[in-house]
């Protein structure tokens, strides 16, 4: 099956610090998505990436689709307490049989200390 | 729009009991999905549907069945629940399976405990 490694598994940071997390795949991906999950809720889309090299921002969040198409990065600048949650990367491999089927990373648990 | 809704929010079952989880979406999406989420394992695809009347197996389909009789609804059934099926179940939908329409929108989840 698909291997999608997300790191780090958890982060404990101070409010105001910047955060970086990444996902790497053993296969080439056509799409990378980044989701955030608050406790007791379903994942909510943060950023979607569709082209290799694409760099997209959403407020304090910036994500990039790696040039090799096997990795993606998410950065959060000037973290605030409400950034707490689990961040998931997800991607879809190249190929017709993969339509609609996303592979999810294991998640990064972010804790922000005031 | 309500987006994706799931019923029930929480359920406790005894081993061997059956139940059906209901997912509904009001976004006119073609694709619908059922995932399970377990600690440290992210989201794993159980079954999915690319349109009304169609279903397909995902990564972990054993012990589950699904039906998509109406475009807006996707049902997940457990015929004989086992403790290994204790998990949080998420339904999702997307407009299509590729390109800009493939972004999946998730429901709030159903927490299932099998004793």
């Amino acid at each position: 099956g698909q291997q999608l490694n997300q790191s780090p598994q958890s982060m404990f940071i101070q409010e105001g610090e910047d955060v970086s997390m990444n996902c790497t795949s053993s296969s080439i991906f056509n799409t990378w998505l980044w989701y955030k999950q608050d406790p007791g809720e379903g994942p909510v889309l943060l950023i979607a990436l569709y082209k290799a090299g694409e760099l997209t921002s959403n407020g304090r969040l910036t994500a990039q689709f790696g040039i090799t198409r096997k990795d993606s990065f998410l950065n959060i600048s000037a973290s605030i307490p409400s950034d707490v949650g689990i961040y998931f990367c997800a991607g879809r491999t190249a190929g017709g049989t993969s339509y609609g089927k996303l592979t999810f990373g294991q998640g990064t648990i972010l804790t922000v200390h005031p | 729009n309500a987006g994706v809704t799931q019923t029930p929010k929480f359920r406790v079952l005894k081993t061997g009991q059956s139940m059906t989880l209901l997912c509904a979406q009001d976004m006119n999406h073609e694709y619908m999905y059922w995932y399970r989420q377990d600690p440290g394992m992210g989201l794993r695809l159980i079954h999915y549907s690319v349109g009304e009347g169609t279903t397909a197996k995902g990564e972990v389909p054993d012990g589950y069945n699904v039906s998509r009789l109406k475009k807006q609804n996707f049902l997940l059934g457990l015929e004989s629940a086992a403790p290994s099926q204790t998990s949080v179940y998420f339904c999702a939908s997307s407009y299509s399976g590729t390109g800009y329409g493939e972004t999946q929108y998730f429901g709030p989840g159903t927490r299932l405990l099998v004793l």
Side-chain angles (χ1 to χ4, degrees):
Chain A
Q2 288 299 323
Q3 293 290 325
L4 191 56
N5 296 312
Q6 184 172 350
S7 65
Q9 290 186 352
S10 62
M11 301 183 73
F12 298 85
I13 62 171
Q14 291 292 128
E15 182 177 359
E17 290 184 354
D18 297 342
V19 174
S20 293
M21 59 190 79
N22 69 84
C23 276
T24 58
S25 168
S26 57
S27 302
I28 292 174
F29 274 30
N30 275 351
T31 302
W32 283 100
L33 305 170
W34 284 92
Y35 286 87
K36 182 193 177 192
Q37 184 179 26
D38 290 327
E41 303 291 332
V44 174
L45 182 71
L46 297 174
I47 293 178
L49 303 161
Y50 300 102
K51 296 179 182 178
E54 182 178 359
L55 183 71
T56 298
S57 294
N58 179 7
R60 294 178 296 106
L61 279 63
T62 301
Q64 184 164 22
F65 193 141
I67 290 291
T68 65
R69 296 173 64 192
K70 291 185 176 182
D71 55 11
S72 180
F73 306 86
L74 176 70
N75 295 317
I76 305 173
S77 63
S79 59
I80 59 178
S82 62
D83 289 334
V84 166
I86 305 176
Y87 291 79
F88 290 100
C89 63
R92 183 174 64 80
T93 58
T97 59
S98 70
Y99 287 168
K101 291 162 67 174
L102 295 178
T103 300
F104 282 81
Q106 305 95 320
T108 295
I109 302 171
L110 179 63
T111 303
V112 180
H113 294 287
Chain B
N1 289 350
V4 180
T5 58
Q6 293 183 232
T7 308
K9 290 184 174 13
F10 178 71
R11 184 77 182 269
V12 179
L13 289 179
K14 294 181 180 179
T15 297
Q17 287 185 319
S18 63
M19 78 164 295
T20 300
L21 284 68
L22 172 65
C23 175
Q25 53 93 6
D26 61 2
M27 297 176 281
N28 200 34
H29 285 171
E30 290 293 333
Y31 285 59
M32 296 187 74
Y33 316 82
W34 276 107
Y35 293 89
R36 60 177 289 172
Q37 183 177 34
D38 301 295
M41 301 190 72
L43 290 135
R44 292 184 293 170
L45 184 64
I46 304 171
H47 286 281
Y48 66 106
S49 168
V50 302
E52 181 180 324
T54 71
T55 62
K57 294 180 179 179
E59 181 185 356
V60 287
D62 294 342
Y64 305 95
N65 57 76
V66 289
S67 64
R68 182 108 181 261
L69 300 180
K70 294 182 178 181
K71 184 177 183 178
Q72 63 268 33
N73 295 337
F74 195 29
L75 279 63
L76 178 71
L78 286 73
E79 292 185 348
S80 180
S84 61
Q85 294 178 304
T86 293
S87 188
V88 181
Y89 292 86
F90 287 100
C91 177
S93 70
S94 66
Y95 180 74
S96 71
T98 64
Y100 296 106
E102 71 180 301
T103 298
Q104 294 184 17
Y105 297 87
F106 285 81
T110 294
R111 284 144 187 82
L112 177 65
L113 174 62
V114 183
L115 301 175

